[in-house]
Amino acid sequence: MKVKIAFPKNLYFGNMGKHIVWLWICVTFFACRNQKEGEVATVEAPESFSFQNLPQDATLDEEVAALVADWQEFKAMETSYAILKRATNTEDLMLAIDDLIEREKTLAEAGYPELFDKLQIKSRQQVFRTFLYKVKGNLKDRRDVYKSMEEMMLAYNAYKNQFNNIISNTLDPKLILNEE
């Protein structure tokens, strides 16, 4: 006695299977049809860069300038920032941003003078660092850097202005907190 195993005739290649295969081929063909080979949707950043319409640099008061004159890490960052302001094309700007990031890291690792070792200054330095990395990311992605450069410069000005605020603020925090 022979046992016969019966499989349905349309299990694999029935009418429904044929239609699904053709439907899949058509969807794949039409989905790929609009895409052009090698085309990448990026906005090209201009090769030249100008600082004309960007915010002006904040200046340190004379008293603050005298206090930070011996602070080598801060002076190095100021020099690097001045070099950044002279960049005319995106390659120079990328090199200047990389140098400024290294100087900022060195400043963050170094100790602050006692008068400026405050959270108000350190937090503004972190905001400045964030916008530095934003500019670097925009440069790497070849996007427009004008808006991120403006934000970075405003953050740097707020950082420098905080030095002036600390020196000009003569109110003792112990008086506010009623501590003796």
Side-chain angles (χ1 to χ4, degrees), residues 12 28 45 56 75 83 89 97 102-103 107 109 119 121 123 130 133 143 151 155 157 161 165-166 175 178:
Y12 294 108
T28 304
Q56 296 297 318
K75 285 174 45 179
I83 291 171
N89 59 31
I97 289 290
E102 290 302 315
R103 302 292 181 186
L107 180 68
E109 293 169 358
L119 289 178
I121 290 184
S123 65
T130 301
Y133 282 113
R143 286 186 265 161
E151 293 169 338
N157 286 343
N161 283 333
N165 290 341
I166 287 176
L175 294 175
N178 291 330

Side-chain angles (χ1 to χ4, degrees), residues 29-36 39:
F29 175 73
F30 286 113
C32 297
R33 193 177 87 184
N34 292 335
Q35 185 178 18
K36 294 182 181 175
E39 185 177 311

Side-chain angles (χ1 to χ4, degrees), residues 61-152:
D61 293 339
E62 292 177 14
E63 189 176 347
V64 176
L67 290 171
V68 298
D70 296 331
W71 191 9
Q72 295 302 320
E73 294 84 6
F74 183 78
K75 285 174 45 179
M77 192 169 82
E78 281 281 304
T79 303
S80 185
Y81 187 78
I83 291 171
L84 170 83
K85 296 283 287 190
R86 287 188 266 153
T88 56
N89 59 31
T90 54
E91 292 174 7
D92 292 344
L93 190 60
M94 185 64 169
L95 290 172
I97 289 290
D98 286 338
D99 183 49
L100 192 56
I101 287 172
E102 290 302 315
R103 302 292 181 186
E104 190 278 328
K105 282 181 186 177
T106 305
L107 180 68
E109 293 169 358
Y112 282 83
E114 185 179 340
L115 185 60
F116 299 127
D117 193 13
K118 299 193 184 293
L119 289 178
Q120 295 97 328
I121 290 184
K122 291 180 180 181
S123 65
R124 281 167 178 78
Q125 183 181 351
Q126 274 195 309
V127 171
F128 173 63
R129 179 185 313 141
T130 301
F131 287 119
L132 270 175
Y133 282 113
K134 185 176 179 181
V135 171
K136 184 177 180 176
N138 286 345
L139 284 170
K140 278 190 172 186
D141 293 342
R142 312 243 342 125
R143 286 186 265 161
D144 187 32
V145 295
Y146 181 81
K147 181 69 175 163
S148 55
M149 280 293 293
E150 182 180 22
E151 293 169 338
M152 187 260 317

Side-chain angles (χ1 to χ4, degrees), residues 7-21:
F7 289 103
K9 289 183 180 179
N10 61 0
L11 181 66
Y12 294 108
F13 296 106
N15 286 337
M16 188 58 118
K18 289 179 186 176
H19 293 301
I20 289 176
V21 169

Side-chain angles (χ1 to χ4, degrees), residues 39-71:
E39 185 177 311
V40 179
T42 58
V43 176
E44 289 293 321
E47 290 298 318
S48 62
F49 190 78
S50 174
F51 287 92
Q52 288 178 346
N53 296 328
L54 291 173
Q56 296 297 318
D57 291 340
T59 57
L60 296 175
D61 293 339
E62 292 177 14
E63 189 176 347
V64 176
L67 290 171
V68 298
D70 296 331
W71 191 9

